Amino acid sequence: MRTILVVEDNAGVRDLLKEYLTEQGYRVICSNNGREGLYTARHHPPDLILLDIMMPEMDGLEFLKAFRKTSDTPIIFLTAKVMELDKVLGLELGADDYITKPFSMAELLARIRAVMRRTEGTPSRQVFEFPGLSLDREARVVKVSGKTVDLTRSEFDLLSVFLESPSRVFKRTELLDRLQEEDALASERTIDVHVRNLRSKIEEDPSQPRHIVTVFGVGYRFNPEEG
């Protein structure tokens, strides 16, 4: 069963979409704003996202900018805006299609099926392998020197971000945003704690890390050449 995430702040529209798409055989999960939707999409990956543009806390364009850094899950914009600029900007940021409100459910279903057909066979990368270290996103399994290690959700997600962009330097603020920590008191120091705990589990000598390297004054990066 394919999963569709509906990110829409209008409760009436959300309920209508969930009821109709469920009847069509999809599993539907909903979020009522962009920030909540981003967290849901990252931790309960859908097969397709229906995304409203005008929302509180984080609008659809902001959602798309953040989400496209880590995923190529197909996205269809739901927008009441008629300005061509908004549609073009959405497509340039990585949306796969858009449909303007009001729309018929039959047209929406056709768009969903077309986008899914078009994007089939091009799944986002799920397995990362480096010397002495591997991560399987779908199975949520990490192995060090062939042995499985247990990571918390945050540790796993943090390592996944590093492995997806080896050698790239990440600021603490960016990593915090990627993890979408629910704790309102989360800060840049939270990332330092996660990195310290992660090193204790994947580094041969955590006091002299070879995988996750500190870039002083900036943040952290993953070193793909060491194992």
Side-chain angles (χ1 to χ4, degrees), residues 48-154:
L48 181 140
I49 299 172
L50 297 179
L51 179 65
D52 187 27
I53 288 185
M54 300 300 293
M55 292 182 294
E57 295 193 38
M58 176 185 283
D59 66 24
L61 296 176
E62 291 177 303
F63 174 103
L64 187 55
K65 287 179 184 178
F67 187 66
R68 276 289 177 256
K69 294 177 182 178
T70 58
S71 176
D72 57 4
T73 296
I75 294 176
I76 298 176
F77 265 135
L78 307 177
T79 175
K81 290 192 172 184
V82 295
M83 292 178 63
E84 192 66 25
L85 180 60
D86 295 306
K87 298 172 182 177
V88 171
L89 181 57
L91 295 174
E92 288 180 345
L93 289 174
D96 296 270
D97 200 355
Y98 66 86
I99 185 167
T100 303
K101 299 175 183 177
F103 51 81
S104 72
M105 289 299 183
E107 180 185 4
L108 177 63
L109 183 61
R111 296 288 187 95
I112 290 172
R113 289 173 174 170
V115 168
M116 283 189 168
R117 284 196 302 269
R118 195 162 66 239
T119 55
E120 277 181 353
T122 57
S124 59
R125 190 177 178 192
Q126 295 293 329
V127 178
F128 301 90
E129 294 185 341
F130 295 91
L133 179 67
S134 68
L135 180 147
D136 186 325
R137 273 181 172 165
E138 187 173 2
R140 295 191 73 82
V141 171
V142 171
K143 292 186 178 181
V144 177
S145 299
K147 296 182 180 180
T148 301
V149 296
D150 293 325
L151 302 182
T152 65
R153 177 189 60 77
S154 293

Side-chain angles (χ1 to χ4, degrees), residues 5 7 30-41 57-58 63 180:
L5 169 61
V7 186
C30 298
S31 295
N32 59 21
N33 63 64
R35 191 167 299 281
E36 178 184 307
L38 191 60
Y39 179 87
T40 302
E57 295 193 38
M58 176 185 283
F63 174 103
Q180 283 291 294

Side-chain angles (χ1 to χ4, degrees), residues 3-55:
T3 298
I4 294 177
L5 169 61
V6 176
V7 186
E8 164 68 63
D9 66 319
N10 186 305
V13 174
R14 271 200 322 271
D15 293 342
L16 186 63
L17 289 172
K18 183 172 185 176
E19 180 180 0
Y20 178 77
L21 294 174
T22 299
E23 290 176 354
Q24 299 304 313
Y26 295 100
R27 173 176 175 260
V28 182
I29 51 180
C30 298
S31 295
N32 59 21
N33 63 64
R35 191 167 299 281
E36 178 184 307
L38 191 60
Y39 179 87
T40 302
R42 284 172 170 168
H43 299 288
H44 305 280
D47 296 291
L48 181 140
I49 299 172
L50 297 179
L51 179 65
D52 187 27
I53 288 185
M54 300 300 293
M55 292 182 294

Side-chain angles (χ1 to χ4, degrees), residues 110-215:
R111 296 288 187 95
I112 290 172
R113 289 173 174 170
V115 168
M116 283 189 168
R117 284 196 302 269
R118 195 162 66 239
T119 55
E120 277 181 353
T122 57
S124 59
R125 190 177 178 192
Q126 295 293 329
V127 178
F128 301 90
E129 294 185 341
F130 295 91
L133 179 67
S134 68
L135 180 147
D136 186 325
R137 273 181 172 165
E138 187 173 2
R140 295 191 73 82
V141 171
V142 171
K143 292 186 178 181
V144 177
S145 299
K147 296 182 180 180
T148 301
V149 296
D150 293 325
L151 302 182
T152 65
R153 177 189 60 77
S154 293
E155 291 164 2
F156 183 93
D157 292 343
L158 183 62
L159 182 59
S160 180
V161 170
F162 282 130
L163 299 191
E164 188 173 44
S165 301
S167 297
R168 176 183 169 183
V169 179
F170 288 93
K171 295 180 180 179
R172 291 176 175 83
T173 52
E174 184 178 1
L175 292 171
L176 191 64
D177 179 65
R178 293 287 193 95
L179 292 188
Q180 283 291 294
E181 293 283 353
E182 291 183 290
D183 186 352
L185 298 178
S187 68
E188 294 181 35
R189 294 301 112 189
T190 303
I191 296 300
D192 294 335
V193 173
H194 288 324
V195 167
R196 183 171 65 248
N197 293 338
L198 187 55
R199 283 171 169 167
S200 71
K201 297 178 180 181
I202 70 170
E203 299 283 2
E204 182 177 347
D205 182 359
S207 65
Q208 295 182 323
R210 301 171 67 189
H211 285 303
I212 301 177
V213 180
T214 299
V215 180

